[in-house]
Amino acid sequence: MADAKTEVAGDAMPLFYSKPEALNPARHGSLGLTARADFGFARAAHAIPVAASEMPAAMRSYPIVFIGPAKSPVIITGVRQNENLFVDADGKWTGPHYIPAYVRRYPFIMAEDPKAPGRLTLCVDRASDRVVDQLLAPFRDEKILPFFTGNEPTEATKQALAFCNQFQIDFNATRAMIERIDAHGLFATRQSKVTLEGGEILNLTDFQVIDEPAFNKLSDEAFLDLRKSGALGLLYCHLASTNSWTSLVHQASLRKADGGKSA
């Protein structure tokens, strides 16, 4: 597959995944993926990882902030814990808002092969309700895309591998940019006060942002270092995304007006 850093730190299980298994025909030859688009698994995710390459599209709909010791970039999709304002009760993502690659990738993921340390292999989350036995196809009112034909991966599996490989490349590139930004001391802890329609005030905490005054005071040499690393685009998209807090509040108001039916 691809040699790369893995997004999984230690024994931590990535968001959405609970039972990832390395795809192979012996174990998964009779299984396939339902063709329906269902994002119900993301309904409780109020923050979702995003890569630098996605930020120009994502910043229009979501605030982009950084979380945890690794300062991982995420989009904010909810103003409360365990609430994604962009996924409705039917598992549909609210249009025309951008759907992050991290979400579109599920239930596939790249993980380190225990038999070959440092090498990644394509896995699928067996806990996903979209992973089903092809023998059930006649009893289901939906198309099932098989993972294998005999011992050979199908086109659907090849596409999943290509998507996950590209995601891993983007993930590693983003990680390198974050490290360069952090080296220049540009991260600062912040909190945001959100006022919903009706006057309800919510305090969002435990995230970091780019310290814009510190960024503007960078030396020419430091600025050039960030430009060469490709990190400037990430920085500018993050700063521009602060305007999307308004979009988030609007989405929360729509959900409230709907009486929570979209939840």
Side-chain angles (χ1 to χ4, degrees):
M1 301 296 180
D3 293 317
K5 295 179 182 177
T6 175
E7 68 196 84
V8 184
D11 296 325
M13 193 64 71
L15 177 67
F16 304 146
Y17 299 84
S18 61
K19 194 179 179 183
E21 297 177 354
L23 267 180
N24 69 72
R27 191 174 188 180
H28 306 107
S30 67
L31 301 182
L33 189 73
T34 58
R36 59 185 162 87
D38 183 354
F39 302 110
F41 61 87
R43 191 176 291 117
H46 63 279
I48 298 174
V50 65
S53 59
E54 302 177 88
M55 291 184 184
M59 71 179 188
R60 300 187 181 99
S61 296
Y62 319 100
I64 300 170
V65 301
F66 307 88
I67 61 172
K71 301 174 177 64
S72 302
V74 297
I75 57 171
I76 301 299
T77 54
V79 293
R80 294 181 177 85
Q81 293 280 337
N82 302 319
E83 179 186 53
N84 185 339
L85 294 168
F86 298 86
V87 178
D88 66 19
D90 295 324
K92 295 179 180 178
W93 200 280
T94 303
H97 300 288
Y98 177 76
I99 305 174
Y102 190 97
V103 171
R104 287 181 281 122
R105 175 186 62 165
Y106 187 80
F108 298 100
I109 190 172
M110 301 298 287
E112 189 170 277
D113 185 345
K115 298 179 180 179
R119 191 162 181 80
L120 303 181
T121 189
L122 182 65
C123 299
V124 67
D125 188 3
R126 286 289 278 109
S128 171
D129 60 7
R130 289 186 60 203
V131 177
V132 298
D133 196 306
Q134 296 178 67
L135 295 176
L136 297 177
F139 307 100
R140 301 177 70 101
D141 187 25
E142 56 189 345
K143 184 178 180 181
I144 297 178
L145 306 174
F147 293 141
F148 297 94
T149 299
N151 289 324
E152 295 300 316
T154 61
E155 187 60 31
T157 299
K158 292 177 182 177
Q159 290 179 5
L161 175 60
F163 189 94
C164 289
N165 267 330
Q166 185 59 53
F167 181 92
Q168 200 66 37
I169 291 170
D170 292 343
F171 171 84
N172 292 336
T174 303
R175 185 75 255 141
M177 293 177 197
I178 294 297
E179 290 172 357
R180 294 312 307 150
I181 295 170
D182 198 19
H184 291 290
L186 295 182
F187 287 105
T189 301
R190 290 285 190 276
Q191 67 176 22
S192 182
K193 182 178 290 186
V194 175
T195 303
L196 303 179
E197 287 187 11
E200 183 182 3
I201 298 176
L202 300 174
N203 290 307
L204 306 181
T205 60
D206 299 326
F207 65 86
Q208 298 182 65
V209 300
I210 298 299
D211 187 334
E212 192 168 1
F215 175 50
N216 291 331
K217 292 177 183 177
L218 282 178
S219 66
D220 291 346
E221 181 182 10
F223 186 86
L224 182 60
D225 176 62
L226 289 174
R227 183 176 70 80
K228 288 182 176 179
S229 73
L232 285 182
L234 184 159
L235 283 161
Y236 289 131
C237 284
H238 157 69
L239 293 173
S241 78
T242 58
N243 296 318
S244 291
W245 285 107
T246 302
S247 173
L248 196 64
V249 171
H250 176 67
Q251 197 68 23
S253 299
L254 291 177
R255 178 66 61 88
K256 185 175 182 179
D258 190 35
K261 294 178 183 178
S262 296

